[in-house]
Amino acid sequence: MHSYEFQMYRNFDKLAIDLIELAVVRMFSYYLELERRASRDELTDLYNRHYLYNYFETNPNLGGALCLID
């Protein structure tokens, strides 16, 4: 393999790595946005009942009261 061909493959590998990195970053940001939308109300941006139920199930020793008004 000539040095030019090796350099071409090396540049291609760098480009492929950059594209994969960009794809992973985008997927992670989509995941975070989906997680936020699943746990917050879109209009008020307050936590929804699914988040609150999960929070109180995972922290049962905190105590307290919760009133949900629809």
Side-chain angles (χ1 to χ4, degrees), residues 12-67:
F12 178 76
D13 289 342
K14 173 74 171 123
L15 177 63
I17 290 170
D18 289 344
L19 290 174
I20 291 170
E21 183 179 89
L22 178 64
V24 169
V25 167
R26 281 188 179 175
M27 286 190 316
F28 187 67
S29 67
Y30 291 146
Y31 170 78
L32 291 177
E33 179 64 20
L34 182 61
E35 187 175 274
R36 189 191 70 77
R37 287 184 180 205
S39 64
R40 291 186 174 262
D41 180 71
E42 220 171 298
L43 181 62
T44 62
D45 204 37
L46 296 172
Y47 289 114
N48 61 21
R49 68 180 173 90
H50 296 292
Y51 173 84
L52 294 172
Y53 286 150
N54 186 33
Y55 178 79
F56 287 117
E57 278 184 4
T58 56
N59 301 303
N61 297 329
L62 291 179
L66 178 65
C67 178

